Amino acid sequence: MTESTTTPLTSHAMASIGPAWPSSTHCANEQPASSTATTSDQLDRLVRATVAAATGGVSPATLWLAGLDWAAHLVVSPGKQYGLILQGLRYVQDALTAAPSVHDAQADPRFRDADWQRWPFRWLRDTFLGL
């Protein structure tokens, strides 16, 4: 595994990132980026750009409200709750009672280490190969 190096967050590093959107467009209540922007402004822009990249440009508040809406509907749907609980229990039961794999685990080079013969690694291997 290689080690990654990170650059400290400096005003020079933030300035090299550039604007989060084309410089020809900007929000009505926000000034376009300029070379005189303070470090705190640059940090705000960096965080907003990171959040936008992580959420696909969708507002985090919108995602939170969608999750809250789903949870509120689930709370008043005992039949759905029961069905989801049964489905989860079936998954757990299938995973715990999985038949030993028909694949030859010793032939697979990923599982040659002796630790794969001990629990819980044996169970993980057999469950993985049984899929």
Side-chain angles (χ1 to χ4, degrees):
M1 188 174 267
T2 62
E3 237 179 84
S4 65
T5 59
T6 58
T7 307
L9 193 59
T10 63
S11 57
H12 174 68
M14 288 189 295
S16 67
I17 293 172
W21 54 82
S23 59
S24 61
T25 62
H26 64 278
C27 297
N29 63 348
E30 190 171 317
Q31 296 297 322
S34 67
S35 60
T36 61
T38 64
T39 303
S40 61
D41 293 336
Q42 290 175 345
L43 180 60
D44 288 345
R45 288 176 56 80
L46 177 65
V47 169
R48 285 190 209 118
T50 304
V51 169
T55 62
V58 178
S59 166
T62 301
L63 296 175
W64 185 82
L65 287 172
L68 183 64
D69 180 59
W70 175 84
H73 282 87
L74 184 61
V75 165
V76 295
S77 303
K80 184 68 170 177
Q81 292 174 22
Y82 180 72
L84 289 172
I85 289 170
L86 286 180
Q87 183 180 17
L89 290 174
R90 273 190 235 110
Y91 287 149
V92 170
Q93 181 182 15
D94 290 347
L96 292 175
T97 61
S101 174
V102 295
H103 302 288
D104 185 15
Q106 295 305 320
D108 193 331
R110 297 173 293 181
F111 303 111
R112 286 199 180 133
D113 193 286
D115 286 338
W116 285 106
Q117 305 305 319
R118 296 182 305 165
W119 190 89
F121 305 110
R122 180 181 60 237
W123 175 80
L124 291 169
R125 176 198 65 201
D126 292 344
T127 304
F128 173 76
L129 291 174
L131 294 176

